[in-house]
């Protein structure tokens, strides 16, 4: 007998929670079911964008075995036999053994195979079925990759075979580069999180779904590079496709794309805004009319491709001036780095190889929600050459308030503000303040003699709005090694305005 219990159609985000299933299928198998198949029907409602099944059964001590698969209204959607107890299927990606694609409404069937059930034995089973609707935000990791707060290192801008990423094949030919090569390079760099941001597609997500259990020390955040004729922007978080045809009926304005990203709980980051636009690099600079910067969470201040040029992070193609202009206009937007890697390469010394630059985020855990929240809050510095051990920590204090990078701090006229800048593994470099708040400080620069130093700056508030950040500069040319995000003096509490 099959019991069918409907428990409502709630949207079930399957991360970091144990939500109630949308429906539960239960039943029992006996020796009469030995070496037969049972198809258990259930209805998938219209508008479902993800279906997840968690399957358990009793009787394994009696060598009872129930294999698992699923049929949609038209076809077999997958069979994992006895090798997986749970699976997820969405439009763009699915657990290996299962086919991604649209989830047609109607009668689906859980397919149960029974290779063995002894005489006299009974195997009770439970299938918990979850339906999600709308843009997916589930990600690939069902739990934090690491618990606890810390500085986590990542690269959120890379390309693979799913767009224009290429590498050498076994025979030495240049071919579209499989996704696992990029993850291997990220692992070699010692990164904690990545996003694979192929141009305007979500097809890489199916590969990432397969790779996530193997790369279990790496948080995989769904992403893509929205590539338009007026500019490029990364979107992180949603796994589902996002409209990119800016200027067409699908996405008449940037605001329509921003609304879609916001609905999915994602972040949008303007890429390489210092690049030219024209026949040398089509649509690379940012020329989107009427951009609402209060709905832009990040700007790629340091792009790996521009680091080859004289000046490094401050070359003629740097994104820093574009970012600073937005800060001067009163926006609170987080500076991030992106390698923009296109060859899955890892080389500790090569700009634009995976993790060069690295974006380092202070987050409550190594999880998708925590990393995205850390970026949104501006708790971020850019390690230009992607070292494993460099740190840039800023703590600002005034009258009992404490702020870190990205935070706001009240500094009325005459108020003493102390800025402590903790830097590791940059001996011989200097800390230099930047931004219009730097003029409030007792000095502009402090040397770093050793590999674990704290430089202290004393500022006096003037009651007006300012931003001030600390960079670490080193080498013979005094290039930026680490770029900090600002502390905002006398700014409204919430980012974005
Ligand atoms: Zn781009
Ligand atoms: Zn790119």
């Amino acid at each position: 007998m099959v019991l069918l219990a409907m428990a409502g159609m709630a949207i079930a985000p399957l991360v970091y929670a144990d939500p109630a299933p949308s429906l539960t299928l239960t039943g029992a198998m006996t020796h009469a079911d030995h070496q037969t198949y049972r198809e258990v029907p259930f209805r998938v409602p219209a508008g479902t964008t993800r279906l997840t099944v968690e399957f358990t059964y009793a009787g394994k001590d009696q060598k009872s075995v129930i294999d698992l698969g699923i049929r949609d209204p038209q076809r077999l959607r997958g069979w994992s036999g006895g090798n997986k107890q749970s699976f997820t299927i969405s439009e763009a990606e699915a657990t290996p053994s299962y086919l991604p694609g649209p989830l047609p409404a109607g009668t689906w069937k859980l397919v149960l195979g029974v290779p063995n059930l002894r005489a006299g034995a009974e195997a009770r089973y439970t299938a918990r079925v979850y339906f999600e609707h709308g843009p997916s935000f589930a990600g690939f990791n069902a739990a934090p990759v690491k618990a606890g707060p810390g500085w986590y290192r990542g690269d959120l801008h890379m390309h693979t075979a799913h767009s224009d990423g290429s590498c050498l094949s076994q025979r030495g030919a240049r071919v579209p580069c499989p996704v696992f090569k990029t993850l291997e390079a990220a692992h070699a760099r010692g990164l904690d999180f990545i996003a694979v941001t192929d141009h305007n597609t979500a097809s890489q997500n199916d590969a990432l779904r397969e790779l996530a259990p193997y790369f279990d020390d790496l948080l995989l955040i769904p992403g893509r590079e929205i590539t338009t004729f007026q500019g490029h922007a990364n979107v992180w978080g949603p796994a589902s496709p996002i409209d990119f045809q800016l200027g067409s009926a699908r996405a008449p304005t940037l605001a329509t794309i921003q609304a879609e990203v916001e609905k999915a709980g994602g972040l949008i980051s303007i890429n390489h805004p210092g690049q030219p636009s024209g026949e040398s690099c089509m649509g690379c600079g940012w020329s989107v009319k009427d951009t609402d910067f209060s709905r832009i969470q990040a700007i790629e201040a340091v792009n790996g491709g521009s680091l080859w040029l004289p000046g490094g992070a401050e070359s003629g193609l740097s994104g820093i001036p574009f970012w600073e202009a937005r800060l001067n206009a009163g926006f609170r937007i987080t500076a991030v780095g992106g390698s923009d890697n296109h060859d899955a390469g890892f080389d500790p010394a090569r700009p634009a190889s995976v993790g060069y630059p690295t974006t380092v985020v202070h987050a409550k855990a190594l999880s998708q929600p925590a990393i995205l929240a850390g970026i949104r809050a501006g708790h971020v510095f850019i390690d230009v050459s992607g070292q494993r051990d460099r740190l840039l920590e800023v703590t600002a204090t005034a009258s009992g308030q404490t702020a870190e990078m990205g935070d706001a701090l009240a500094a009325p006229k005459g108020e003493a503000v102390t800025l402590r800048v903790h830097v590791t593994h940059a001996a011989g470099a200097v800390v230099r303040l930047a931004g219009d708040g730097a003029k409030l400080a007792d000095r502009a620069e402090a040397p770093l003699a050793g590999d674990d130093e704290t430089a202290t700056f004393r500022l006096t508030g003037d009651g007006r709005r300012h931003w001030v950040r600390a960079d670490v500069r080193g080498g013979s040319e005094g290039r930026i090694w680490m770029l900090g995000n600002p502390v905002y003096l006398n700014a409204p509490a919430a980012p974005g305005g």
Side-chain angles (χ1 to χ4, degrees):
M1 196 184 93
V2 175
L3 301 172
L4 198 126
M6 301 289 285
M9 296 294 162
I11 294 171
L14 290 175
V15 274
Y16 318 120
D18 190 17
S22 309
L23 61 85
T24 304
L25 307 167
T26 60
M29 302 284 200
T30 65
H31 184 60
D33 298 295
H34 177 72
Q35 297 193 349
T36 66
Y37 296 96
R38 181 183 293 182
E39 297 192 353
V40 182
F42 62 98
R43 286 198 68 77
V44 170
T48 301
T49 54
R50 179 179 298 279
L51 179 154
T52 300
V53 175
E54 291 168 1
F55 186 73
T56 57
Y57 62 94
K60 288 180 188 168
D61 51 334
Q62 297 173 288
K63 304 285 184 199
S64 301
V65 178
I66 304 179
D67 287 345
L68 185 62
I70 200 165
R71 288 184 176 277
D72 72 17
Q74 284 98 37
R75 59 173 179 162
L76 182 71
R77 260 323 254 277
W79 176 257
S80 55
N83 63 63
K84 293 179 191 75
Q85 294 297 292
S86 66
F87 61 85
T88 185
I89 300 175
S90 75
E91 189 164 23
E93 37 87 17
T95 303
S97 308
Y98 294 87
L99 296 171
L103 300 167
T107 301
W108 288 52
K109 288 168 182 156
L110 209 60
V111 184
L112 305 179
V114 186
N116 191 52
L117 238 163
R118 289 179 187 167
E122 185 190 63
R124 298 199 148 270
Y125 64 81
T126 302
R128 292 179 182 81
V129 184
Y130 301 83
F131 303 129
E132 289 177 62
H133 306 82
S136 167
F137 188 51
F140 305 108
N141 305 78
V145 175
K146 271 185 211 159
W151 287 98
Y152 293 110
R153 293 168 192 273
D155 188 347
L156 294 166
H157 190 171
M158 297 181 289
H159 299 272
T160 71
H162 292 268
S163 59
D164 50 353
S166 66
C167 57
L168 297 184
S169 71
Q170 302 287 307
R171 285 179 160 174
R174 187 151 284 277
V175 297
C177 197
V179 175
F180 81 92
K181 298 282 288 180
T182 294
L183 274 61
E184 282 185 339
H187 180 82
R189 175 76 69 183
L191 297 183
D192 299 304
F193 64 89
I194 60 161
V196 174
T197 52
D198 283 305
H199 298 283
N200 296 334
T201 187
S203 65
Q204 69 276 22
N205 289 337
D206 200 41
L208 292 169
R209 174 69 66 185
E210 179 190 332
L211 294 169
Y214 180 75
F215 289 91
D216 54 359
D217 57 353
L218 197 55
L219 175 71
L220 308 179
I221 298 175
R224 87 281 292 130
E225 186 171 13
I226 298 276
T227 305
T228 80
F229 301 133
Q230 286 91 41
H232 300 183
N234 279 336
V235 171
W236 304 307
S240 48
I242 302 275
D243 284 324
F244 65 92
Q245 293 164 249
L246 184 61
S248 78
R250 295 186 189 281
T253 64
L254 181 68
T256 53
I257 295 175
Q258 286 170 312
E260 201 175 336
V261 173
E262 287 160 7
K263 195 173 152 210
L267 265 57
I268 187 161
S269 175
I270 293 175
N271 289 345
H272 46 68
Q275 300 264 349
S277 278
E279 290 188 347
S280 63
C281 194
M282 284 168 262
C284 291
W286 189 260
S287 60
V288 178
K289 285 195 197 77
D290 304 323
T291 302
D292 180 354
F293 284 98
S294 72
R295 297 170 79 186
I296 298 288
Q297 289 78 42
I299 290 174
E300 190 179 71
V302 182
N303 174 279
S306 63
L307 290 173
W308 290 104
L309 300 169
E314 294 171 291
S315 74
L317 301 182
S318 171
I320 296 172
F322 181 93
W323 171 58
E324 290 184 334
R326 302 304 72 85
L327 299 180
N328 290 336
F331 296 102
R332 289 170 64 182
I333 301 178
T334 304
V336 297
S339 71
D340 208 354
N341 176 268
H342 280 74
D343 64 3
F346 165 63
D347 178 337
R350 182 164 67 86
S353 69
V354 169
Y356 197 132
T358 293
T359 298
V360 191
V361 181
H362 195 218
K364 289 185 175 144
L366 182 55
S367 71
Q368 181 170 312
I371 293 294
L372 295 184
I375 295 171
R376 196 184 286 274
H379 301 160
V380 173
F381 71 88
I382 302 168
D383 180 349
V384 172
S385 60
Q387 309 291 312
R388 283 169 187 255
D389 49 7
R390 278 188 183 157
L391 264 188
L392 169 59
E393 295 178 293
V394 176
T395 310
T397 52
S399 296
Q401 315 163 72
T402 302
E404 64 172 301
M405 289 187 288
D407 293 342
L409 190 81
K413 192 168 167 55
E415 178 80 28
V417 177
T418 305
L419 210 63
R420 286 189 186 82
V421 184
H422 177 222
V423 179
T424 65
H425 297 278
V430 298
V431 176
R432 191 183 300 165
L433 300 186
D436 62 356
K439 66 185 180 194
L440 307 176
D442 57 345
R443 56 178 175 165
E445 199 173 280
L448 297 164
D451 268 335
D452 191 338
E453 295 278 330
T454 299
T456 301
F457 299 84
R458 293 180 204 290
L459 285 66
T460 307
D462 65 2
R464 290 205 291 274
R465 195 168 166 169
H466 296 285
W467 59 273
V468 58
R469 73 166 199 262
D471 297 335
V472 173
R473 292 171 175 273
S476 57
E477 295 173 34
R479 285 189 180 186
I480 294 179
W481 285 3
M482 287 186 276
L483 179 108
N485 269 281
V487 170
Y488 298 92
L489 303 178
N490 301 313

